[in-house]
PDB file of all heavy atoms in Angstrom:
ATOM      1  N   GLY A 156      15.158  -5.318 -23.411  1.00  0.00           N
ATOM      2  CA  GLY A 156      15.439  -5.691 -22.016  1.00  0.00           C
ATOM      3  C   GLY A 156      14.144  -5.875 -21.259  1.00  0.00           C
ATOM      4  O   GLY A 156      13.100  -6.111 -21.870  1.00  0.00           O
ATOM      5  N   ALA A 157      14.234  -5.788 -19.999  1.00  0.00           N
ATOM      6  CA  ALA A 157      13.089  -6.075 -19.110  1.00  0.00           C
ATOM      7  C   ALA A 157      12.020  -4.948 -19.125  1.00  0.00           C
ATOM      8  O   ALA A 157      12.368  -3.772 -19.378  1.00  0.00           O
ATOM      9  CB  ALA A 157      13.594  -6.312 -17.669  1.00  0.00           C
ATOM     10  N   ASN A 158      10.848  -5.278 -18.829  1.00  0.00           N
ATOM     11  CA  ASN A 158       9.757  -4.334 -18.703  1.00  0.00           C
ATOM     12  C   ASN A 158       9.543  -3.955 -17.219  1.00  0.00           C
ATOM     13  O   ASN A 158       8.636  -4.434 -16.578  1.00  0.00           O
ATOM     14  CB  ASN A 158       8.412  -4.859 -19.264  1.00  0.00           C
ATOM     15  CG  ASN A 158       8.543  -5.068 -20.766  1.00  0.00           C
ATOM     16  OD1 ASN A 158       9.090  -4.232 -21.476  1.00  0.00           O
ATOM     17  ND2 ASN A 158       8.021  -6.146 -21.246  1.00  0.00           N
ATOM     18  N   TYR A 159      10.431  -3.112 -16.689  1.00  0.00           N
ATOM     19  CA  TYR A 159      10.410  -2.773 -15.287  1.00  0.00           C
ATOM     20  C   TYR A 159       9.196  -1.959 -14.933  1.00  0.00           C
ATOM     21  O   TYR A 159       8.600  -2.156 -13.859  1.00  0.00           O
ATOM     22  CB  TYR A 159      11.673  -1.989 -14.943  1.00  0.00           C
ATOM     23  CG  TYR A 159      12.934  -2.803 -14.979  1.00  0.00           C
ATOM     24  CD1 TYR A 159      13.888  -2.608 -16.007  1.00  0.00           C
ATOM     25  CD2 TYR A 159      13.230  -3.764 -14.022  1.00  0.00           C
ATOM     26  CE1 TYR A 159      15.036  -3.389 -16.033  1.00  0.00           C
ATOM     27  CE2 TYR A 159      14.364  -4.536 -14.106  1.00  0.00           C
ATOM     28  CZ  TYR A 159      15.261  -4.313 -15.095  1.00  0.00           C
ATOM     29  OH  TYR A 159      16.386  -5.078 -15.108  1.00  0.00           O
ATOM     30  N   TRP A 160       8.762  -1.035 -15.742  1.00  0.00           N
ATOM     31  CA  TRP A 160       7.625  -0.206 -15.382  1.00  0.00           C
ATOM     32  C   TRP A 160       6.354  -1.081 -15.267  1.00  0.00           C
ATOM     33  O   TRP A 160       5.574  -0.918 -14.308  1.00  0.00           O
ATOM     34  CB  TRP A 160       7.383   0.885 -16.405  1.00  0.00           C
ATOM     35  CG  TRP A 160       6.233   1.770 -16.086  1.00  0.00           C
ATOM     36  CD1 TRP A 160       5.062   1.825 -16.779  1.00  0.00           C
ATOM     37  CD2 TRP A 160       6.119   2.664 -15.038  1.00  0.00           C
ATOM     38  NE1 TRP A 160       4.223   2.700 -16.147  1.00  0.00           N
ATOM     39  CE2 TRP A 160       4.857   3.251 -15.066  1.00  0.00           C
ATOM     40  CE3 TRP A 160       6.977   3.065 -13.989  1.00  0.00           C
ATOM     41  CZ2 TRP A 160       4.427   4.200 -14.162  1.00  0.00           C
ATOM     42  CZ3 TRP A 160       6.533   4.021 -13.056  1.00  0.00           C
ATOM     43  CH2 TRP A 160       5.255   4.523 -13.160  1.00  0.00           C
ATOM     44  N   ARG A 161       6.128  -1.957 -16.192  1.00  0.00           N
ATOM     45  CA  ARG A 161       4.989  -2.869 -16.134  1.00  0.00           C
ATOM     46  C   ARG A 161       5.072  -3.754 -14.885  1.00  0.00           C
ATOM     47  O   ARG A 161       4.030  -3.924 -14.227  1.00  0.00           O
ATOM     48  CB  ARG A 161       4.883  -3.675 -17.401  1.00  0.00           C
ATOM     49  CG  ARG A 161       3.631  -4.585 -17.399  1.00  0.00           C
ATOM     50  CD  ARG A 161       3.565  -5.478 -18.541  1.00  0.00           C
ATOM     51  NE  ARG A 161       4.805  -6.339 -18.560  1.00  0.00           N
ATOM     52  CZ  ARG A 161       5.055  -7.171 -19.517  1.00  0.00           C
ATOM     53  NH1 ARG A 161       4.332  -7.211 -20.599  1.00  0.00           N
ATOM     54  NH2 ARG A 161       6.186  -7.926 -19.418  1.00  0.00           N
ATOM     55  N   PHE A 162       6.238  -4.230 -14.633  1.00  0.00           N
ATOM     56  CA  PHE A 162       6.368  -5.088 -13.408  1.00  0.00           C
ATOM     57  C   PHE A 162       6.057  -4.289 -12.155  1.00  0.00           C
ATOM     58  O   PHE A 162       5.300  -4.792 -11.277  1.00  0.00           O
ATOM     59  CB  PHE A 162       7.836  -5.608 -13.322  1.00  0.00           C
ATOM     60  CG  PHE A 162       8.102  -6.345 -12.040  1.00  0.00           C
ATOM     61  CD1 PHE A 162       7.504  -7.581 -11.782  1.00  0.00           C
ATOM     62  CD2 PHE A 162       8.892  -5.726 -11.062  1.00  0.00           C
ATOM     63  CE1 PHE A 162       7.762  -8.212 -10.552  1.00  0.00           C
ATOM     64  CE2 PHE A 162       9.123  -6.389  -9.835  1.00  0.00           C
ATOM     65  CZ  PHE A 162       8.570  -7.609  -9.638  1.00  0.00           C
ATOM     66  N   LEU A 163       6.617  -3.064 -12.026  1.00  0.00           N
ATOM     67  CA  LEU A 163       6.404  -2.291 -10.808  1.00  0.00           C
ATOM     68  C   LEU A 163       5.012  -1.751 -10.678  1.00  0.00           C
ATOM     69  O   LEU A 163       4.566  -1.509  -9.540  1.00  0.00           O
ATOM     70  CB  LEU A 163       7.387  -1.144 -10.751  1.00  0.00           C
ATOM     71  CG  LEU A 163       8.843  -1.562 -10.492  1.00  0.00           C
ATOM     72  CD1 LEU A 163       9.754  -0.334 -10.709  1.00  0.00           C
ATOM     73  CD2 LEU A 163       9.020  -2.151  -9.155  1.00  0.00           C
ATOM     74  N   THR A 164       4.302  -1.535 -11.759  1.00  0.00           N
ATOM     75  CA  THR A 164       2.956  -0.897 -11.634  1.00  0.00           C
ATOM     76  C   THR A 164       1.803  -1.934 -11.755  1.00  0.00           C
ATOM     77  O   THR A 164       0.714  -1.633 -11.345  1.00  0.00           O
ATOM     78  CB  THR A 164       2.803   0.122 -12.736  1.00  0.00           C
ATOM     79  OG1 THR A 164       2.939  -0.430 -14.040  1.00  0.00           O
ATOM     80  CG2 THR A 164       3.763   1.312 -12.569  1.00  0.00           C
ATOM     81  N   LYS A 165       2.059  -3.110 -12.266  1.00  0.00           N
ATOM     82  CA  LYS A 165       1.020  -4.123 -12.443  1.00  0.00           C
ATOM     83  C   LYS A 165       1.295  -5.408 -11.685  1.00  0.00           C
ATOM     84  O   LYS A 165       0.504  -5.785 -10.843  1.00  0.00           O
ATOM     85  CB  LYS A 165       0.857  -4.469 -13.971  1.00  0.00           C
ATOM     86  CG  LYS A 165       0.588  -3.281 -14.844  1.00  0.00           C
ATOM     87  CD  LYS A 165      -0.754  -2.702 -14.648  1.00  0.00           C
ATOM     88  CE  LYS A 165      -0.969  -1.525 -15.649  1.00  0.00           C
ATOM     89  NZ  LYS A 165      -1.883  -0.627 -15.221  1.00  0.00           N
ATOM     90  N   GLU A 166       2.377  -6.048 -11.992  1.00  0.00           N
ATOM     91  CA  GLU A 166       2.686  -7.350 -11.434  1.00  0.00           C
ATOM     92  C   GLU A 166       3.033  -7.340  -9.926  1.00  0.00           C
ATOM     93  O   GLU A 166       2.492  -8.034  -9.141  1.00  0.00           O
ATOM     94  CB  GLU A 166       3.786  -8.045 -12.250  1.00  0.00           C
ATOM     95  CG  GLU A 166       3.393  -8.282 -13.667  1.00  0.00           C
ATOM     96  CD  GLU A 166       4.567  -8.774 -14.500  1.00  0.00           C
ATOM     97  OE1 GLU A 166       5.438  -9.530 -13.878  1.00  0.00           O
ATOM     98  OE2 GLU A 166       4.648  -8.498 -15.669  1.00  0.00           O
ATOM     99  N   PHE A 167       4.006  -6.463  -9.546  1.00  0.00           N
ATOM    100  CA  PHE A 167       4.487  -6.425  -8.213  1.00  0.00           C
ATOM    101  C   PHE A 167       3.392  -6.034  -7.207  1.00  0.00           C
ATOM    102  O   PHE A 167       3.263  -6.708  -6.160  1.00  0.00           O
ATOM    103  CB  PHE A 167       5.691  -5.508  -8.131  1.00  0.00           C
ATOM    104  CG  PHE A 167       6.349  -5.479  -6.793  1.00  0.00           C
ATOM    105  CD1 PHE A 167       7.055  -6.649  -6.342  1.00  0.00           C
ATOM    106  CD2 PHE A 167       6.355  -4.357  -5.969  1.00  0.00           C
ATOM    107  CE1 PHE A 167       7.708  -6.601  -5.144  1.00  0.00           C
ATOM    108  CE2 PHE A 167       6.975  -4.323  -4.757  1.00  0.00           C
ATOM    109  CZ  PHE A 167       7.660  -5.486  -4.338  1.00  0.00           C
ATOM    110  N   PRO A 168       2.607  -5.005  -7.466  1.00  0.00           N
ATOM    111  CA  PRO A 168       1.523  -4.674  -6.465  1.00  0.00           C
ATOM    112  C   PRO A 168       0.529  -5.793  -6.285  1.00  0.00           C
ATOM    113  O   PRO A 168       0.085  -6.052  -5.148  1.00  0.00           O
ATOM    114  CB  PRO A 168       0.858  -3.462  -7.131  1.00  0.00           C
ATOM    115  CG  PRO A 168       1.869  -2.815  -8.008  1.00  0.00           C
ATOM    116  CD  PRO A 168       2.681  -3.979  -8.505  1.00  0.00           C
ATOM    117  N   MET A 169       0.164  -6.550  -7.359  1.00  0.00           N
ATOM    118  CA  MET A 169      -0.741  -7.657  -7.184  1.00  0.00           C
ATOM    119  C   MET A 169      -0.169  -8.781  -6.399  1.00  0.00           C
ATOM    120  O   MET A 169      -0.836  -9.302  -5.533  1.00  0.00           O
ATOM    121  CB  MET A 169      -1.211  -8.161  -8.578  1.00  0.00           C
ATOM    122  CG  MET A 169      -2.165  -7.172  -9.337  1.00  0.00           C
ATOM    123  SD  MET A 169      -3.569  -6.673  -8.307  1.00  0.00           S
ATOM    124  CE  MET A 169      -4.401  -8.198  -8.021  1.00  0.00           C
ATOM    125  N   LYS A 170       1.112  -9.021  -6.595  1.00  0.00           N
ATOM    126  CA  LYS A 170       1.766 -10.072  -5.813  1.00  0.00           C
ATOM    127  C   LYS A 170       1.827  -9.664  -4.313  1.00  0.00           C
ATOM    128  O   LYS A 170       1.560 -10.533  -3.456  1.00  0.00           O
ATOM    129  CB  LYS A 170       3.216 -10.304  -6.280  1.00  0.00           C
ATOM    130  CG  LYS A 170       3.278 -10.992  -7.628  1.00  0.00           C
ATOM    131  CD  LYS A 170       4.700 -11.213  -8.090  1.00  0.00           C
ATOM    132  CE  LYS A 170       4.698 -11.758  -9.466  1.00  0.00           C
ATOM    133  NZ  LYS A 170       5.236 -13.091  -9.574  1.00  0.00           N
ATOM    134  N   MET A 171       2.093  -8.416  -4.033  1.00  0.00           N
ATOM    135  CA  MET A 171       2.144  -7.988  -2.633  1.00  0.00           C
ATOM    136  C   MET A 171       0.776  -7.927  -2.018  1.00  0.00           C
ATOM    137  O   MET A 171       0.649  -8.316  -0.845  1.00  0.00           O
ATOM    138  CB  MET A 171       2.785  -6.581  -2.520  1.00  0.00           C
ATOM    139  CG  MET A 171       4.273  -6.567  -2.922  1.00  0.00           C
ATOM    140  SD  MET A 171       5.299  -7.581  -1.880  1.00  0.00           S
ATOM    141  CE  MET A 171       5.573  -9.044  -2.914  1.00  0.00           C
ATOM    142  N   LYS A 172      -0.222  -7.554  -2.795  1.00  0.00           N
ATOM    143  CA  LYS A 172      -1.596  -7.524  -2.195  1.00  0.00           C
ATOM    144  C   LYS A 172      -2.062  -8.927  -1.864  1.00  0.00           C
ATOM    145  O   LYS A 172      -2.740  -9.133  -0.851  1.00  0.00           O
ATOM    146  CB  LYS A 172      -2.563  -6.844  -3.223  1.00  0.00           C
ATOM    147  CG  LYS A 172      -2.371  -5.395  -3.275  1.00  0.00           C
ATOM    148  CD  LYS A 172      -3.284  -4.741  -4.310  1.00  0.00           C
ATOM    149  CE  LYS A 172      -3.031  -3.282  -4.417  1.00  0.00           C
ATOM    150  NZ  LYS A 172      -3.866  -2.617  -5.423  1.00  0.00           N
ATOM    151  N   ASN A 173      -1.726  -9.928  -2.706  1.00  0.00           N
ATOM    152  CA  ASN A 173      -2.155 -11.231  -2.420  1.00  0.00           C
ATOM    153  C   ASN A 173      -1.307 -11.904  -1.313  1.00  0.00           C
ATOM    154  O   ASN A 173      -1.824 -12.630  -0.496  1.00  0.00           O
ATOM    155  CB  ASN A 173      -2.051 -12.086  -3.707  1.00  0.00           C
ATOM    156  CG  ASN A 173      -3.054 -11.646  -4.744  1.00  0.00           C
ATOM    157  OD1 ASN A 173      -4.129 -11.182  -4.401  1.00  0.00           O
ATOM    158  ND2 ASN A 173      -2.724 -11.799  -5.990  1.00  0.00           N
ATOM    159  N   LEU A 174      -0.017 -11.607  -1.295  1.00  0.00           N
ATOM    160  CA  LEU A 174       0.859 -12.224  -0.258  1.00  0.00           C
ATOM    161  C   LEU A 174       0.606 -11.654   1.126  1.00  0.00           C
ATOM    162  O   LEU A 174       0.606 -12.394   2.117  1.00  0.00           O
ATOM    163  CB  LEU A 174       2.315 -12.021  -0.723  1.00  0.00           C
ATOM    164  CG  LEU A 174       3.409 -12.649   0.164  1.00  0.00           C
ATOM    165  CD1 LEU A 174       3.225 -14.185   0.167  1.00  0.00           C
ATOM    166  CD2 LEU A 174       4.740 -12.227  -0.352  1.00  0.00           C
ATOM    167  N   PHE A 175       0.411 -10.330   1.190  1.00  0.00           N
ATOM    168  CA  PHE A 175       0.277  -9.687   2.501  1.00  0.00           C
ATOM    169  C   PHE A 175      -1.085  -9.166   2.863  1.00  0.00           C
ATOM    170  O   PHE A 175      -1.306  -8.447   3.782  1.00  0.00           O
ATOM    171  CB  PHE A 175       1.283  -8.505   2.566  1.00  0.00           C
ATOM    172  CG  PHE A 175       2.704  -8.928   2.581  1.00  0.00           C
ATOM    173  CD1 PHE A 175       3.491  -8.631   1.476  1.00  0.00           C
ATOM    174  CD2 PHE A 175       3.251  -9.629   3.594  1.00  0.00           C
ATOM    175  CE1 PHE A 175       4.820  -9.056   1.417  1.00  0.00           C
ATOM    176  CE2 PHE A 175       4.562 -10.023   3.612  1.00  0.00           C
ATOM    177  CZ  PHE A 175       5.343  -9.736   2.507  1.00  0.00           C
ATOM    178  N   ASN A 176      -2.082  -9.535   2.041  1.00  0.00           N
ATOM    179  CA  ASN A 176      -3.470  -9.103   2.262  1.00  0.00           C
ATOM    180  C   ASN A 176      -3.581  -7.591   2.388  1.00  0.00           C
ATOM    181  O   ASN A 176      -4.208  -7.076   3.318  1.00  0.00           O
ATOM    182  CB  ASN A 176      -4.048  -9.802   3.478  1.00  0.00           C
ATOM    183  CG  ASN A 176      -5.550  -9.692   3.534  1.00  0.00           C
ATOM    184  OD1 ASN A 176      -6.158  -9.567   2.513  1.00  0.00           O
ATOM    185  ND2 ASN A 176      -6.115  -9.769   4.714  1.00  0.00           N
ATOM    186  N   ILE A 177      -2.955  -6.871   1.458  1.00  0.00           N
ATOM    187  CA  ILE A 177      -3.018  -5.400   1.423  1.00  0.00           C
ATOM    188  C   ILE A 177      -4.296  -4.964   0.785  1.00  0.00           C
ATOM    189  O   ILE A 177      -4.817  -5.611  -0.128  1.00  0.00           O
ATOM    190  CB  ILE A 177      -1.815  -4.870   0.585  1.00  0.00           C
ATOM    191  CG1 ILE A 177      -0.494  -5.242   1.297  1.00  0.00           C
ATOM    192  CG2 ILE A 177      -1.890  -3.349   0.437  1.00  0.00           C
ATOM    193  CD1 ILE A 177       0.715  -4.971   0.519  1.00  0.00           C
ATOM    194  N   SER A 178      -4.857  -3.877   1.265  1.00  0.00           N
ATOM    195  CA  SER A 178      -6.108  -3.342   0.786  1.00  0.00           C
ATOM    196  C   SER A 178      -6.033  -3.017  -0.731  1.00  0.00           C
ATOM    197  O   SER A 178      -4.992  -2.542  -1.191  1.00  0.00           O
ATOM    198  CB  SER A 178      -6.476  -2.065   1.486  1.00  0.00           C
ATOM    199  OG  SER A 178      -7.637  -1.461   0.957  1.00  0.00           O
ATOM    200  N   HIS A 179      -7.106  -3.275  -1.430  1.00  0.00           N
ATOM    201  CA  HIS A 179      -7.235  -2.918  -2.883  1.00  0.00           C
ATOM    202  C   HIS A 179      -7.721  -1.534  -3.017  1.00  0.00           C
ATOM    203  O   HIS A 179      -7.834  -1.000  -4.150  1.00  0.00           O
ATOM    204  CB  HIS A 179      -8.128  -3.895  -3.605  1.00  0.00           C
ATOM    205  CG  HIS A 179      -7.512  -5.274  -3.743  1.00  0.00           C
ATOM    206  ND1 HIS A 179      -6.797  -5.623  -4.859  1.00  0.00           N
ATOM    207  CD2 HIS A 179      -7.497  -6.322  -2.888  1.00  0.00           C
ATOM    208  CE1 HIS A 179      -6.371  -6.849  -4.710  1.00  0.00           C
ATOM    209  NE2 HIS A 179      -6.768  -7.303  -3.525  1.00  0.00           N
ATOM    210  N   ASN A 180      -8.071  -0.836  -1.947  1.00  0.00           N
ATOM    211  CA  ASN A 180      -8.568   0.552  -1.965  1.00  0.00           C
ATOM    212  C   ASN A 180      -7.375   1.470  -2.028  1.00  0.00           C
ATOM    213  O   ASN A 180      -6.529   1.542  -1.111  1.00  0.00           O
ATOM    214  CB  ASN A 180      -9.412   0.814  -0.684  1.00  0.00           C
ATOM    215  CG  ASN A 180     -10.115   2.101  -0.720  1.00  0.00           C
ATOM    216  OD1 ASN A 180      -9.946   2.898  -1.613  1.00  0.00           O
ATOM    217  ND2 ASN A 180     -10.869   2.361   0.320  1.00  0.00           N
ATOM    218  N   SER A 181      -7.289   2.273  -3.105  1.00  0.00           N
ATOM    219  CA  SER A 181      -6.132   3.165  -3.285  1.00  0.00           C
ATOM    220  C   SER A 181      -5.993   4.200  -2.213  1.00  0.00           C
ATOM    221  O   SER A 181      -4.916   4.719  -1.934  1.00  0.00           O
ATOM    222  CB  SER A 181      -6.206   3.829  -4.663  1.00  0.00           C
ATOM    223  OG  SER A 181      -7.341   4.645  -4.795  1.00  0.00           O
ATOM    224  N   GLU A 182      -7.097   4.589  -1.496  1.00  0.00           N
ATOM    225  CA  GLU A 182      -7.036   5.579  -0.453  1.00  0.00           C
ATOM    226  C   GLU A 182      -6.344   5.026   0.775  1.00  0.00           C
ATOM    227  O   GLU A 182      -5.954   5.787   1.664  1.00  0.00           O
ATOM    228  CB  GLU A 182      -8.456   6.099  -0.091  1.00  0.00           C
ATOM    229  CG  GLU A 182      -9.085   7.044  -1.110  1.00  0.00           C
ATOM    230  CD  GLU A 182      -9.724   6.216  -2.242  1.00  0.00           C
ATOM    231  OE1 GLU A 182      -9.961   5.038  -2.075  1.00  0.00           O
ATOM    232  OE2 GLU A 182      -9.983   6.869  -3.298  1.00  0.00           O
ATOM    233  N   GLU A 183      -6.147   3.729   0.887  1.00  0.00           N
ATOM    234  CA  GLU A 183      -5.547   3.117   2.037  1.00  0.00           C
ATOM    235  C   GLU A 183      -4.115   2.694   1.797  1.00  0.00           C
ATOM    236  O   GLU A 183      -3.552   2.008   2.655  1.00  0.00           O
ATOM    237  CB  GLU A 183      -6.382   1.916   2.473  1.00  0.00           C
ATOM    238  CG  GLU A 183      -7.803   2.302   2.927  1.00  0.00           C
ATOM    239  CD  GLU A 183      -8.672   1.095   3.238  1.00  0.00           C
ATOM    240  OE1 GLU A 183      -8.228  -0.046   2.991  1.00  0.00           O
ATOM    241  OE2 GLU A 183      -9.794   1.347   3.695  1.00  0.00           O
ATOM    242  N   THR A 184      -3.555   2.940   0.634  1.00  0.00           N
ATOM    243  CA  THR A 184      -2.202   2.546   0.329  1.00  0.00           C
ATOM    244  C   THR A 184      -1.391   3.721  -0.138  1.00  0.00           C
ATOM    245  O   THR A 184      -1.916   4.803  -0.489  1.00  0.00           O
ATOM    246  CB  THR A 184      -2.180   1.461  -0.756  1.00  0.00           C
ATOM    247  OG1 THR A 184      -2.830   1.949  -1.917  1.00  0.00           O
ATOM    248  CG2 THR A 184      -2.941   0.202  -0.284  1.00  0.00           C
ATOM    249  N   PHE A 185      -0.052   3.625  -0.158  1.00  0.00           N
ATOM    250  CA  PHE A 185       0.859   4.633  -0.694  1.00  0.00           C
ATOM    251  C   PHE A 185       2.102   4.006  -1.180  1.00  0.00           C
ATOM    252  O   PHE A 185       2.410   2.876  -0.908  1.00  0.00           O
ATOM    253  CB  PHE A 185       1.119   5.707   0.398  1.00  0.00           C
ATOM    254  CG  PHE A 185       1.892   5.181   1.563  1.00  0.00           C
ATOM    255  CD1 PHE A 185       3.311   5.281   1.593  1.00  0.00           C
ATOM    256  CD2 PHE A 185       1.233   4.599   2.662  1.00  0.00           C
ATOM    257  CE1 PHE A 185       4.015   4.814   2.665  1.00  0.00           C
ATOM    258  CE2 PHE A 185       2.001   4.134   3.730  1.00  0.00           C
ATOM    259  CZ  PHE A 185       3.363   4.209   3.763  1.00  0.00           C
ATOM    260  N   VAL A 186       2.898   4.797  -1.886  1.00  0.00           N
ATOM    261  CA  VAL A 186       4.197   4.403  -2.355  1.00  0.00           C
ATOM    262  C   VAL A 186       5.293   5.295  -1.814  1.00  0.00           C
ATOM    263  O   VAL A 186       5.104   6.504  -1.781  1.00  0.00           O
ATOM    264  CB  VAL A 186       4.239   4.407  -3.917  1.00  0.00           C
ATOM    265  CG1 VAL A 186       5.608   4.057  -4.478  1.00  0.00           C
ATOM    266  CG2 VAL A 186       3.166   3.523  -4.513  1.00  0.00           C
ATOM    267  N   ALA A 187       6.411   4.705  -1.397  1.00  0.00           N
ATOM    268  CA  ALA A 187       7.534   5.520  -0.873  1.00  0.00           C
ATOM    269  C   ALA A 187       8.833   4.858  -1.281  1.00  0.00           C
ATOM    270  O   ALA A 187       8.862   3.681  -1.568  1.00  0.00           O
ATOM    271  CB  ALA A 187       7.399   5.613   0.642  1.00  0.00           C
ATOM    272  N   GLY A 188       9.891   5.612  -1.206  1.00  0.00           N
ATOM    273  CA  GLY A 188      11.180   5.019  -1.516  1.00  0.00           C
ATOM    274  C   GLY A 188      12.350   5.991  -1.106  1.00  0.00           C
ATOM    275  O   GLY A 188      12.079   7.179  -0.928  1.00  0.00           O
ATOM    276  N   LEU A 189      13.487   5.484  -0.850  1.00  0.00           N
ATOM    277  CA  LEU A 189      14.672   6.243  -0.478  1.00  0.00           C
ATOM    278  C   LEU A 189      15.662   6.258  -1.665  1.00  0.00           C
ATOM    279  O   LEU A 189      15.769   5.285  -2.382  1.00  0.00           O
ATOM    280  CB  LEU A 189      15.334   5.618   0.716  1.00  0.00           C
ATOM    281  CG  LEU A 189      14.506   5.580   2.005  1.00  0.00           C
ATOM    282  CD1 LEU A 189      15.284   4.781   3.060  1.00  0.00           C
ATOM    283  CD2 LEU A 189      14.238   6.996   2.493  1.00  0.00           C
ATOM    284  N   SER A 190      16.338   7.398  -1.820  1.00  0.00           N
ATOM    285  CA  SER A 190      17.368   7.521  -2.787  1.00  0.00           C
ATOM    286  C   SER A 190      16.796   7.264  -4.191  1.00  0.00           C
ATOM    287  O   SER A 190      15.792   7.888  -4.563  1.00  0.00           O
ATOM    288  CB  SER A 190      18.561   6.624  -2.540  1.00  0.00           C
ATOM    289  OG  SER A 190      19.635   6.930  -3.337  1.00  0.00           O
ATOM    290  N   MET A 191      17.323   6.373  -4.968  1.00  0.00           N
ATOM    291  CA  MET A 191      16.821   6.100  -6.318  1.00  0.00           C
ATOM    292  C   MET A 191      15.420   5.529  -6.290  1.00  0.00           C
ATOM    293  O   MET A 191      14.616   5.786  -7.159  1.00  0.00           O
ATOM    294  CB  MET A 191      17.782   5.127  -7.015  1.00  0.00           C
ATOM    295  CG  MET A 191      17.479   4.891  -8.474  1.00  0.00           C
ATOM    296  SD  MET A 191      17.546   6.439  -9.349  1.00  0.00           S
ATOM    297  CE  MET A 191      17.035   5.888 -10.959  1.00  0.00           C
TER     298      MET A 191
END
């Protein structure tokens, strides 16, 4: 099936950083989520 972990940890963050000009500095970013 799909490689969800690779997508969520490699591909998706790079797309968001490029699309929204998010900092590449890990001290300036975080991950959060509700429920699952």
Side-chain angles (χ1 to χ4, degrees):
N158 292 320
Y159 292 107
W160 181 250
R161 183 183 59 185
F162 171 73
L163 290 171
T164 59
K165 305 288 184 207
E166 297 173 32
F167 187 67
M169 289 308 298
K170 288 180 187 244
M171 293 300 102
K172 286 178 183 178
N173 293 330
L174 184 63
F175 295 111
N176 195 26
I177 298 171
S178 173
H179 289 267
N180 187 357
S181 62
E182 287 82 18
E183 297 175 354
T184 60
F185 65 93
V186 176
L189 298 172
S190 190
M191 187 59 182

